[in-house]
Amino acid sequence: MRSVGTLTRADLAETIHRKVGLSRAESLNIVESILGHMCEAMTDGENVKISGFGTFLLRDKGERVGRNPKTGVEVPITPRRVMTFRASKMLKDKVSGI
């Protein structure tokens, strides 16, 4: 039941439903709860590490000067917090087929 090229929340819930035997509604609640907890942790400034999968890292970027590539005009870029994902070695190996 997986959509082509993208793993969705519904796909995760369906997999939990099939493998664990919970109802579809309970499976979807579990997926939503996990994703909600991850979002809440990152909103609070915490990094999220899922062993064997990877780490969602937060980084604060300071203010800097950017340039409009079309006009060449310098524009200030405001400070902000960005999220990056660093895959674990195990995930990298699986993706590369090792």
Side-chain angles (χ1 to χ4, degrees), residues 41-58:
M42 287 184 275
T43 300
D44 293 340
E46 298 176 52
N47 293 326
V48 175
K49 180 175 183 173
I50 301 172
S51 189
F53 182 72
T55 306
F56 295 90
L57 298 165
L58 296 173

Side-chain angles (χ1 to χ4, degrees), residues 14-86:
E14 181 64 25
T15 301
I16 291 171
H17 165 69
R18 278 186 282 121
K19 291 194 177 196
V20 179
L22 297 174
S23 73
R24 283 185 169 83
E26 289 173 322
S27 299
L28 188 56
N29 284 340
I30 288 172
V31 171
E32 293 296 333
S33 177
I34 291 169
L35 294 175
H37 190 65
M38 290 171 59
C39 289
E40 189 176 312
M42 287 184 275
T43 300
D44 293 340
E46 298 176 52
N47 293 326
V48 175
K49 180 175 183 173
I50 301 172
S51 189
F53 182 72
T55 306
F56 295 90
L57 298 165
L58 296 173
R59 195 176 81 189
D60 291 320
K61 293 181 118 183
E63 185 172 358
R64 59 191 173 95
V65 176
R67 192 178 312 275
N68 181 330
K70 192 171 186 178
T71 63
V73 175
E74 288 187 352
V75 216
I77 299 174
T78 58
R80 63 189 188 275
R81 177 173 281 169
V82 295
M83 181 188 67
T84 59
F85 177 74
R86 185 174 298 153

